[in-house]
Short mmCIF file of all heavy atoms in Angstrom, two decimals:
data_model
loop_
_atom_site.label_atom_id
_atom_site.label_comp_id
_atom_site.label_asym_id
_atom_site.label_seq_id
_atom_site.Cartn_x
_atom_site.Cartn_y
_atom_site.Cartn_z
N LEU A 1436 1.41 8.43 1.18
CA LEU A 1436 1.90 9.76 0.88
C LEU A 1436 1.62 10.65 2.08
O LEU A 1436 0.48 10.71 2.55
CB LEU A 1436 1.19 10.33 -0.35
CG LEU A 1436 1.25 9.51 -1.64
CD1 LEU A 1436 0.32 10.09 -2.70
CD2 LEU A 1436 2.67 9.42 -2.16
N VAL A 1437 2.64 11.34 2.56
CA VAL A 1437 2.47 12.18 3.74
C VAL A 1437 2.97 13.59 3.43
O VAL A 1437 4.16 13.78 3.15
CB VAL A 1437 3.24 11.61 4.95
CG1 VAL A 1437 3.06 12.52 6.16
CG2 VAL A 1437 2.76 10.19 5.26
N GLU A 1438 2.05 14.56 3.53
CA GLU A 1438 2.41 15.95 3.25
C GLU A 1438 2.92 16.65 4.50
O GLU A 1438 2.52 16.31 5.63
CB GLU A 1438 1.19 16.73 2.73
CG GLU A 1438 0.56 16.19 1.47
CD GLU A 1438 -0.62 15.29 1.73
OE1 GLU A 1438 -0.75 14.76 2.86
OE2 GLU A 1438 -1.44 15.11 0.79
N ARG A 1477 -11.82 20.02 -5.78
CA ARG A 1477 -10.38 19.80 -5.75
C ARG A 1477 -9.82 20.03 -7.15
O ARG A 1477 -10.28 19.42 -8.12
CB ARG A 1477 -10.07 18.38 -5.27
CG ARG A 1477 -8.61 18.11 -5.00
CD ARG A 1477 -8.40 16.73 -4.41
NE ARG A 1477 -9.09 16.57 -3.14
CZ ARG A 1477 -8.95 15.48 -2.37
NH1 ARG A 1477 -8.15 14.50 -2.75
NH2 ARG A 1477 -9.61 15.39 -1.24
N VAL A 1523 -6.62 23.38 1.31
CA VAL A 1523 -5.95 22.15 1.71
C VAL A 1523 -5.25 21.60 0.47
O VAL A 1523 -5.89 21.44 -0.57
CB VAL A 1523 -6.94 21.13 2.28
CG1 VAL A 1523 -6.22 19.82 2.61
CG2 VAL A 1523 -7.61 21.69 3.54
N TYR A 1524 -3.97 21.34 0.60
CA TYR A 1524 -3.15 20.85 -0.51
C TYR A 1524 -2.94 19.35 -0.36
O TYR A 1524 -2.55 18.89 0.72
CB TYR A 1524 -1.82 21.59 -0.55
CG TYR A 1524 -1.95 22.99 -1.10
CD1 TYR A 1524 -2.58 23.98 -0.35
CD2 TYR A 1524 -1.47 23.32 -2.37
CE1 TYR A 1524 -2.73 25.27 -0.86
CE2 TYR A 1524 -1.61 24.60 -2.87
CZ TYR A 1524 -2.25 25.56 -2.12
OH TYR A 1524 -2.39 26.84 -2.63
N TYR A 1525 -3.18 18.62 -1.44
CA TYR A 1525 -3.09 17.17 -1.44
C TYR A 1525 -2.00 16.70 -2.40
O TYR A 1525 -1.90 17.19 -3.53
CB TYR A 1525 -4.40 16.54 -1.88
CG TYR A 1525 -5.56 16.80 -0.95
CD1 TYR A 1525 -6.38 17.92 -1.13
CD2 TYR A 1525 -5.84 15.93 0.10
CE1 TYR A 1525 -7.45 18.15 -0.27
CE2 TYR A 1525 -6.91 16.16 0.95
CZ TYR A 1525 -7.70 17.27 0.75
OH TYR A 1525 -8.75 17.51 1.59
N CYS A 1526 -1.24 15.72 -1.96
CA CYS A 1526 -0.27 15.04 -2.80
C CYS A 1526 -0.97 13.88 -3.50
O CYS A 1526 -1.79 13.17 -2.89
CB CYS A 1526 0.87 14.54 -1.94
SG CYS A 1526 2.19 13.71 -2.84
N TRP A 1536 -3.63 9.16 -2.73
CA TRP A 1536 -3.73 10.52 -2.22
C TRP A 1536 -3.18 10.59 -0.80
O TRP A 1536 -3.36 9.65 -0.01
CB TRP A 1536 -5.19 10.97 -2.17
CG TRP A 1536 -5.83 11.13 -3.51
CD1 TRP A 1536 -6.52 10.18 -4.20
CD2 TRP A 1536 -5.87 12.30 -4.31
NE1 TRP A 1536 -6.97 10.69 -5.39
CE2 TRP A 1536 -6.59 12.00 -5.49
CE3 TRP A 1536 -5.35 13.59 -4.16
CZ2 TRP A 1536 -6.80 12.93 -6.50
CZ3 TRP A 1536 -5.57 14.51 -5.17
CH2 TRP A 1536 -6.29 14.18 -6.32
N GLY A 1537 -2.55 11.72 -0.51
CA GLY A 1537 -2.22 12.00 0.88
C GLY A 1537 -3.45 12.53 1.59
O GLY A 1537 -4.49 12.75 0.98
N LYS A 1538 -3.31 12.76 2.89
CA LYS A 1538 -4.45 13.22 3.68
C LYS A 1538 -4.66 14.72 3.56
O LYS A 1538 -5.70 15.24 3.97
CB LYS A 1538 -4.25 12.83 5.14
CG LYS A 1538 -4.32 11.33 5.37
CD LYS A 1538 -4.18 10.98 6.84
CE LYS A 1538 -4.30 9.47 7.03
NZ LYS A 1538 -4.17 9.10 8.46
N GLY A 1539 -3.68 15.42 3.02
CA GLY A 1539 -3.81 16.86 2.82
C GLY A 1539 -3.18 17.68 3.93
O GLY A 1539 -3.04 17.20 5.07
N ILE A 1540 -2.82 18.91 3.57
CA ILE A 1540 -2.24 19.83 4.56
C ILE A 1540 -2.75 21.22 4.25
O ILE A 1540 -2.88 21.62 3.10
CB ILE A 1540 -0.69 19.76 4.53
CG1 ILE A 1540 -0.12 20.49 5.75
CG2 ILE A 1540 -0.13 20.32 3.24
CD1 ILE A 1540 1.31 20.12 6.04
#
Side-chain angles (χ1 to χ4, degrees):
L1436 304 171
V1437 180
E1438 301 96 340
R1477 189 175 299 186
V1523 176
Y1524 284 71
Y1525 296 90
C1526 181
W1536 293 91
K1538 292 182 178 180
I1540 192 162

